[in-house]
Amino acid sequence: MIDQSLPQARSSIASVQTYRKRGTTTRVELHNGRASIVEIEEIGESYDSIEEFRSRTVSTQSRSEANISERTMAALASANQFEASVPGSLVLERLVLLSGRADHSIVHEGRANEWTDSFERLHISLMHLDARERVEVEVGGNSLDRTDRETITTIASLLARIGREEVTAGELNLSLAPVVAAALWATLTPWILSGASKGPSALTLDQSIHPVLVRDGNGLMIAPKHLYDHDGGTLWSELPNVFRPSYRTKPVSMPFHIRAHPIQSVVHSHYEAHALLQRFIWTSEGLATRLLCKNPETDSVLAIALSMDPQRWLNSTVGIDPEATWFPNLAGTYGSKTVIRIAAGQWKG
Amino acid sequence: MRASVVRALLRKAPDSSLEPGMTQSGSQMDEPLRNAAGGARMSSLFPDHLFVSMLREEGWLVDSERSVRTSSHLETGHAVTTHIDGQVVVRAVSGLEIRDHSSWIDLSRADLESRLTEPLQTLDFDIIRPLLQSHRQQFRIRIRSDSRLVSTGNMARFKDATTITVAMGRDGQETSIVTTPSALREDLLRTMPLLSRGAGTATAPASLPILWTNGSAAVLMHELIGHPAEENRALPRLPEWLEVRDDPFAPGPGHAPYDDTGLRGRMSVLSDGGRPQSLRRESFRDPPILRMTHLAVTRNGASLPLPESRIEVSLVEGGGWDSLTDEISLRVSSAEIVNGSSRKMLAPFSFKGPRVEIVSRIIGANATSVRYPGVICSRQGQRLAVGSSSVDLLVSSGVQ
């Protein structure tokens, strides 16, 4: 009656492996006007076999002096910039900025491997109390850059102006900002990998590469891998890489740096969707969300709700810009300006 | 312009340092501090302190014949927590190599390790296995046992806690309970019939009142009153006969005579507008924040006669309160529709609505308090066990 395949995460690991991680992390948290800084120096190890996943901390000594570290000062300065970019009419419900560096070593299938990576990421939750609307966004990768700041600034300024607009129900061309498109691919990819998708679609999704985040949870180089096209999709069991967000968690098969191929388009967009007001959720009708949208002709800002069968989300894609931004969804997802065409009855303003 | 709390930290940070025993707040242990506005303890006013923890966590697959350990985690770590300009600063390090060890703790490192290890518990299969004999199904059991030390340099306190989560899935639905080693047998005997019989198929009619039994009303009040109280939100008008308390002295999950900053626990009457008074943290990597410990729901006055037709809820799988919309939602995993002497299992359903509206529909209570096999509660990224006990509570119609 014991069936380990049910509760165990999917894993491609066949042999015993030993993994060690030394991490130095600063976490700056703001929550309803109060702040905390957490500086963590931690070493951990895990041993993974088919039978059991074991992990433990390893003792280390604080390397920093009692004064706050330079990394933390930089993280505070960055958090300050993001905090300052939020209009006073919004409530900054939560901001979490993570900055750190990790040294990894692993013995996997008889081979030893060592590598180092750095990360800088931001989670922010903004609320417009009168409109009863909230946006949660995650940006960053190996560092937070100008594009990430522009993403947050744009979303915050639009959320501050959200209102109502009479909209004409009918076919809708909607332009998704990179952060929205990345969230869409991250939601649809597990569904594709489950084998549920069917063609035809003009969309092609791949596991791609990142200029800095080049290794997976076993230290293997990440290589491009086809995930989905008009002929169908790849399955979980066919993925070559594993994701290991912590030494405390069993690594799981995961596509890295999901990216859609460009689709040239000259379609005029009626609205631009800049953020999720509600995360993508699976319902009896399919995949639903609410988006923070701008009418480029009137400059007005409103919420648009969409609900479609997942295959229709894939098939509705009519344009994808070649320029892409990386977001920390799953094991990384690129998003580009993406145009989708939505039939009447599947959206409402 | 937005007032920046981060800017204040940037201004103060370069001069900050911490030595054992120094408390920037000037607070005294055992003297809970209160703000002028509402009497609630402010999180910036706990003493600067050293927090040390040891944790053992194991995951098991168990059925009537075999038990297989699928995961194990052993963790030691420590953190020094201080303040800069009223904001919290935590410096966390894995292991027990504590800087200025002797200034914080009178024990040697070996004695400290021994003292932390001694209370850690393992799963008692002699209790579990006989109970599984009649249930030909598989249970996922997770035991989390930790021991902690809080020291200000002047005073040190040890405490420990063990929680056991038992989960079982059927028909794609998984239901779980959270209990302690001492209550494991009793809670399994109470809930295994519920866990193993699976969900029904009948749809919950919105027109019927709901009786929250088996202590499950504590989960309802956890979302309706507890979380909003943690965030200092206004209290809706409750029936005068209803009392909701956060009680850190109650046994079971959440039991905390002293909190994770070393301050003495204090019972708070949330139904009178109080806030939970305990500062808790999931691990040495987390800052202490105000959290519930054990939510107790009691009533004064006479019982209400039960309506002939009603829904009876016995297990709740999860729930939440949205601070933006001020609405709650609960996922009911085990419930029956009752009509006189007839009973029929219902399919899992959601119970949700505006907080004020649901509170206004609480119409009675009819029994003495029952301990609910507690809940794992997640807030600000920290997952903590919260104990729960409640009378049966009757809420007029409103299933959605």
PDB file of all heavy atoms in Angstrom, chain B residues 217-239:
ATOM      1  N   ALA B 217     -15.379  26.010  14.886  1.00  0.00           N
ATOM      2  CA  ALA B 217     -15.711  27.442  14.950  1.00  0.00           C
ATOM      3  C   ALA B 217     -14.490  28.276  15.324  1.00  0.00           C
ATOM      4  O   ALA B 217     -14.431  29.472  15.036  1.00  0.00           O
ATOM      5  CB  ALA B 217     -16.839  27.678  15.954  1.00  0.00           C
ATOM      6  N   ALA B 218     -13.486  27.619  15.955  1.00  0.00           N
ATOM      7  CA  ALA B 218     -12.258  28.356  16.274  1.00  0.00           C
ATOM      8  C   ALA B 218     -11.530  28.761  14.994  1.00  0.00           C
ATOM      9  O   ALA B 218     -10.885  29.816  14.947  1.00  0.00           O
ATOM     10  CB  ALA B 218     -11.341  27.499  17.151  1.00  0.00           C
ATOM     11  N   VAL B 219     -11.639  27.935  13.951  1.00  0.00           N
ATOM     12  CA  VAL B 219     -11.000  28.286  12.677  1.00  0.00           C
ATOM     13  C   VAL B 219     -11.753  29.448  12.031  1.00  0.00           C
ATOM     14  O   VAL B 219     -11.157  30.379  11.475  1.00  0.00           O
ATOM     15  CB  VAL B 219     -10.959  27.073  11.728  1.00  0.00           C
ATOM     16  CG1 VAL B 219     -10.145  27.400  10.484  1.00  0.00           C
ATOM     17  CG2 VAL B 219     -10.367  25.860  12.419  1.00  0.00           C
ATOM     18  N   LEU B 220     -13.081  29.384  12.150  1.00  0.00           N
ATOM     19  CA  LEU B 220     -13.895  30.498  11.642  1.00  0.00           C
ATOM     20  C   LEU B 220     -13.510  31.806  12.337  1.00  0.00           C
ATOM     21  O   LEU B 220     -13.285  32.837  11.695  1.00  0.00           O
ATOM     22  CB  LEU B 220     -15.387  30.182  11.872  1.00  0.00           C
ATOM     23  CG  LEU B 220     -16.396  31.263  11.527  1.00  0.00           C
ATOM     24  CD1 LEU B 220     -16.447  31.510  10.023  1.00  0.00           C
ATOM     25  CD2 LEU B 220     -17.796  30.889  12.033  1.00  0.00           C
ATOM     26  N   MET B 221     -13.388  31.766  13.667  1.00  0.00           N
ATOM     27  CA  MET B 221     -13.064  32.986  14.417  1.00  0.00           C
ATOM     28  C   MET B 221     -11.596  33.390  14.236  1.00  0.00           C
ATOM     29  O   MET B 221     -11.251  34.564  14.364  1.00  0.00           O
ATOM     30  CB  MET B 221     -13.368  32.789  15.909  1.00  0.00           C
ATOM     31  CG  MET B 221     -14.809  32.425  16.210  1.00  0.00           C
ATOM     32  SD  MET B 221     -16.026  33.478  15.371  1.00  0.00           S
ATOM     33  CE  MET B 221     -15.924  34.943  16.347  1.00  0.00           C
ATOM     34  N   HIS B 222     -10.747  32.413  13.930  1.00  0.00           N
ATOM     35  CA  HIS B 222      -9.330  32.682  13.613  1.00  0.00           C
ATOM     36  C   HIS B 222      -9.266  33.689  12.454  1.00  0.00           C
ATOM     37  O   HIS B 222      -8.491  34.657  12.493  1.00  0.00           O
ATOM     38  CB  HIS B 222      -8.684  31.347  13.241  1.00  0.00           C
ATOM     39  CG  HIS B 222      -7.238  31.394  12.865  1.00  0.00           C
ATOM     40  ND1 HIS B 222      -6.246  30.907  13.681  1.00  0.00           N
ATOM     41  CD2 HIS B 222      -6.605  31.840  11.753  1.00  0.00           C
ATOM     42  CE1 HIS B 222      -5.067  31.062  13.097  1.00  0.00           C
ATOM     43  NE2 HIS B 222      -5.260  31.618  11.921  1.00  0.00           N
ATOM     44  N   GLU B 223     -10.097  33.456  11.432  1.00  0.00           N
ATOM     45  CA  GLU B 223     -10.099  34.358  10.275  1.00  0.00           C
ATOM     46  C   GLU B 223     -10.936  35.604  10.530  1.00  0.00           C
ATOM     47  O   GLU B 223     -10.551  36.705  10.136  1.00  0.00           O
ATOM     48  CB  GLU B 223     -10.630  33.623   9.027  1.00  0.00           C
ATOM     49  CG  GLU B 223      -9.912  32.324   8.685  1.00  0.00           C
ATOM     50  CD  GLU B 223      -8.429  32.507   8.368  1.00  0.00           C
ATOM     51  OE1 GLU B 223      -7.992  33.662   8.185  1.00  0.00           O
ATOM     52  OE2 GLU B 223      -7.694  31.496   8.329  1.00  0.00           O
ATOM     53  N   LEU B 224     -12.089  35.431  11.187  1.00  0.00           N
ATOM     54  CA  LEU B 224     -12.999  36.571  11.393  1.00  0.00           C
ATOM     55  C   LEU B 224     -12.441  37.591  12.379  1.00  0.00           C
ATOM     56  O   LEU B 224     -12.606  38.806  12.188  1.00  0.00           O
ATOM     57  CB  LEU B 224     -14.345  36.077  11.944  1.00  0.00           C
ATOM     58  CG  LEU B 224     -15.404  35.561  10.985  1.00  0.00           C
ATOM     59  CD1 LEU B 224     -16.608  35.065  11.773  1.00  0.00           C
ATOM     60  CD2 LEU B 224     -15.834  36.636   9.997  1.00  0.00           C
ATOM     61  N   ILE B 225     -11.803  37.116  13.435  1.00  0.00           N
ATOM     62  CA  ILE B 225     -11.390  38.000  14.534  1.00  0.00           C
ATOM     63  C   ILE B 225      -9.877  37.992  14.735  1.00  0.00           C
ATOM     64  O   ILE B 225      -9.256  39.037  14.950  1.00  0.00           O
ATOM     65  CB  ILE B 225     -12.069  37.557  15.858  1.00  0.00           C
ATOM     66  CG1 ILE B 225     -13.587  37.460  15.677  1.00  0.00           C
ATOM     67  CG2 ILE B 225     -11.708  38.507  17.003  1.00  0.00           C
ATOM     68  CD1 ILE B 225     -14.269  38.766  15.315  1.00  0.00           C
ATOM     69  N   GLY B 226      -9.256  36.800  14.656  1.00  0.00           N
ATOM     70  CA  GLY B 226      -7.848  36.664  15.018  1.00  0.00           C
ATOM     71  C   GLY B 226      -6.901  37.433  14.110  1.00  0.00           C
ATOM     72  O   GLY B 226      -6.130  38.281  14.578  1.00  0.00           O
ATOM     73  N   HIS B 227      -6.920  37.141  12.818  1.00  0.00           N
ATOM     74  CA  HIS B 227      -5.993  37.826  11.909  1.00  0.00           C
ATOM     75  C   HIS B 227      -6.237  39.335  11.859  1.00  0.00           C
ATOM     76  O   HIS B 227      -5.276  40.119  11.899  1.00  0.00           O
ATOM     77  CB  HIS B 227      -6.050  37.222  10.508  1.00  0.00           C
ATOM     78  CG  HIS B 227      -5.241  35.965  10.382  1.00  0.00           C
ATOM     79  ND1 HIS B 227      -3.939  35.887  10.809  1.00  0.00           N
ATOM     80  CD2 HIS B 227      -5.551  34.747   9.894  1.00  0.00           C
ATOM     81  CE1 HIS B 227      -3.478  34.668  10.585  1.00  0.00           C
ATOM     82  NE2 HIS B 227      -4.441  33.946  10.044  1.00  0.00           N
ATOM     83  N   PRO B 228      -7.506  39.781  11.774  1.00  0.00           N
ATOM     84  CA  PRO B 228      -7.711  41.237  11.809  1.00  0.00           C
ATOM     85  C   PRO B 228      -7.177  41.868  13.104  1.00  0.00           C
ATOM     86  O   PRO B 228      -6.651  42.979  13.077  1.00  0.00           O
ATOM     87  CB  PRO B 228      -9.236  41.375  11.703  1.00  0.00           C
ATOM     88  CG  PRO B 228      -9.663  40.143  10.963  1.00  0.00           C
ATOM     89  CD  PRO B 228      -8.754  39.058  11.453  1.00  0.00           C
ATOM     90  N   ALA B 229      -7.276  41.140  14.221  1.00  0.00           N
ATOM     91  CA  ALA B 229      -6.738  41.678  15.482  1.00  0.00           C
ATOM     92  C   ALA B 229      -5.215  41.784  15.421  1.00  0.00           C
ATOM     93  O   ALA B 229      -4.630  42.748  15.932  1.00  0.00           O
ATOM     94  CB  ALA B 229      -7.170  40.798  16.655  1.00  0.00           C
ATOM     95  N   GLU B 230      -4.566  40.815  14.789  1.00  0.00           N
ATOM     96  CA  GLU B 230      -3.108  40.897  14.627  1.00  0.00           C
ATOM     97  C   GLU B 230      -2.722  42.163  13.875  1.00  0.00           C
ATOM     98  O   GLU B 230      -1.671  42.756  14.120  1.00  0.00           O
ATOM     99  CB  GLU B 230      -2.597  39.670  13.843  1.00  0.00           C
ATOM    100  CG  GLU B 230      -2.612  38.378  14.627  1.00  0.00           C
ATOM    101  CD  GLU B 230      -2.223  37.182  13.773  1.00  0.00           C
ATOM    102  OE1 GLU B 230      -2.379  37.236  12.531  1.00  0.00           O
ATOM    103  OE2 GLU B 230      -1.801  36.173  14.347  1.00  0.00           O
ATOM    104  N   GLU B 231      -3.578  42.567  12.919  1.00  0.00           N
ATOM    105  CA  GLU B 231      -3.299  43.758  12.111  1.00  0.00           C
ATOM    106  C   GLU B 231      -3.941  45.005  12.697  1.00  0.00           C
ATOM    107  O   GLU B 231      -3.990  46.042  12.040  1.00  0.00           O
ATOM    108  CB  GLU B 231      -3.810  43.541  10.677  1.00  0.00           C
ATOM    109  CG  GLU B 231      -3.100  42.424   9.931  1.00  0.00           C
ATOM    110  CD  GLU B 231      -1.692  42.809   9.516  1.00  0.00           C
ATOM    111  OE1 GLU B 231      -1.381  44.020   9.516  1.00  0.00           O
ATOM    112  OE2 GLU B 231      -0.900  41.897   9.221  1.00  0.00           O
ATOM    113  N   ASN B 232      -4.471  44.900  13.922  1.00  0.00           N
ATOM    114  CA  ASN B 232      -5.063  46.047  14.618  1.00  0.00           C
ATOM    115  C   ASN B 232      -6.262  46.629  13.883  1.00  0.00           C
ATOM    116  O   ASN B 232      -6.467  47.846  13.878  1.00  0.00           O
ATOM    117  CB  ASN B 232      -4.003  47.136  14.827  1.00  0.00           C
ATOM    118  CG  ASN B 232      -4.279  47.950  16.080  1.00  0.00           C
ATOM    119  OD1 ASN B 232      -5.058  47.543  16.940  1.00  0.00           O
ATOM    120  ND2 ASN B 232      -3.663  49.114  16.182  1.00  0.00           N
ATOM    121  N   ARG B 233      -7.046  45.775  13.236  1.00  0.00           N
ATOM    122  CA  ARG B 233      -8.233  46.241  12.517  1.00  0.00           C
ATOM    123  C   ARG B 233      -9.418  46.341  13.465  1.00  0.00           C
ATOM    124  O   ARG B 233      -9.504  45.641  14.479  1.00  0.00           O
ATOM    125  CB  ARG B 233      -8.566  45.270  11.383  1.00  0.00           C
ATOM    126  CG  ARG B 233      -7.506  45.237  10.311  1.00  0.00           C
ATOM    127  CD  ARG B 233      -7.484  46.520   9.506  1.00  0.00           C
ATOM    128  NE  ARG B 233      -8.577  46.554   8.574  1.00  0.00           N
ATOM    129  CZ  ARG B 233      -8.470  46.151   7.312  1.00  0.00           C
ATOM    130  NH1 ARG B 233      -7.332  45.705   6.839  1.00  0.00           N
ATOM    131  NH2 ARG B 233      -9.511  46.205   6.500  1.00  0.00           N
ATOM    132  N   ALA B 234     -10.369  47.208  13.091  1.00  0.00           N
ATOM    133  CA  ALA B 234     -11.546  47.434  13.932  1.00  0.00           C
ATOM    134  C   ALA B 234     -12.345  46.140  14.085  1.00  0.00           C
ATOM    135  O   ALA B 234     -12.439  45.334  13.159  1.00  0.00           O
ATOM    136  CB  ALA B 234     -12.408  48.513  13.312  1.00  0.00           C
ATOM    137  N   LEU B 235     -12.909  45.983  15.272  1.00  0.00           N
ATOM    138  CA  LEU B 235     -13.656  44.771  15.595  1.00  0.00           C
ATOM    139  C   LEU B 235     -15.127  44.957  15.222  1.00  0.00           C
ATOM    140  O   LEU B 235     -15.758  45.927  15.638  1.00  0.00           O
ATOM    141  CB  LEU B 235     -13.535  44.513  17.099  1.00  0.00           C
ATOM    142  CG  LEU B 235     -14.205  43.288  17.663  1.00  0.00           C
ATOM    143  CD1 LEU B 235     -13.452  42.027  17.257  1.00  0.00           C
ATOM    144  CD2 LEU B 235     -14.257  43.393  19.184  1.00  0.00           C
ATOM    145  N   PRO B 236     -15.714  44.027  14.435  1.00  0.00           N
ATOM    146  CA  PRO B 236     -17.158  44.117  14.184  1.00  0.00           C
ATOM    147  C   PRO B 236     -17.922  43.838  15.480  1.00  0.00           C
ATOM    148  O   PRO B 236     -17.383  43.241  16.416  1.00  0.00           O
ATOM    149  CB  PRO B 236     -17.421  43.012  13.164  1.00  0.00           C
ATOM    150  CG  PRO B 236     -16.115  42.438  12.790  1.00  0.00           C
ATOM    151  CD  PRO B 236     -15.117  42.842  13.816  1.00  0.00           C
ATOM    152  N   ARG B 237     -19.184  44.252  15.519  1.00  0.00           N
ATOM    153  CA  ARG B 237     -19.989  44.057  16.726  1.00  0.00           C
ATOM    154  C   ARG B 237     -20.320  42.570  16.885  1.00  0.00           C
ATOM    155  O   ARG B 237     -21.015  41.972  16.071  1.00  0.00           O
ATOM    156  CB  ARG B 237     -21.272  44.877  16.622  1.00  0.00           C
ATOM    157  CG  ARG B 237     -22.127  44.830  17.865  1.00  0.00           C
ATOM    158  CD  ARG B 237     -23.348  45.735  17.707  1.00  0.00           C
ATOM    159  NE  ARG B 237     -24.249  45.576  18.820  1.00  0.00           N
ATOM    160  CZ  ARG B 237     -24.078  46.141  19.992  1.00  0.00           C
ATOM    161  NH1 ARG B 237     -23.042  46.928  20.189  1.00  0.00           N
ATOM    162  NH2 ARG B 237     -24.947  45.955  20.980  1.00  0.00           N
ATOM    163  N   LEU B 238     -19.815  41.986  17.969  1.00  0.00           N
ATOM    164  CA  LEU B 238     -20.037  40.561  18.230  1.00  0.00           C
ATOM    165  C   LEU B 238     -21.195  40.385  19.205  1.00  0.00           C
ATOM    166  O   LEU B 238     -21.490  41.287  20.001  1.00  0.00           O
ATOM    167  CB  LEU B 238     -18.780  39.943  18.852  1.00  0.00           C
ATOM    168  CG  LEU B 238     -17.557  39.772  17.943  1.00  0.00           C
ATOM    169  CD1 LEU B 238     -16.319  39.491  18.780  1.00  0.00           C
ATOM    170  CD2 LEU B 238     -17.798  38.646  16.960  1.00  0.00           C
ATOM    171  N   PRO B 239     -21.857  39.216  19.193  1.00  0.00           N
ATOM    172  CA  PRO B 239     -22.878  38.956  20.225  1.00  0.00           C
ATOM    173  C   PRO B 239     -22.250  39.064  21.621  1.00  0.00           C
ATOM    174  O   PRO B 239     -21.101  38.653  21.816  1.00  0.00           O
ATOM    175  CB  PRO B 239     -23.303  37.509  19.934  1.00  0.00           C
ATOM    176  CG  PRO B 239     -22.921  37.255  18.523  1.00  0.00           C
ATOM    177  CD  PRO B 239     -21.717  38.094  18.253  1.00  0.00           C
TER     178      PRO B 239
END
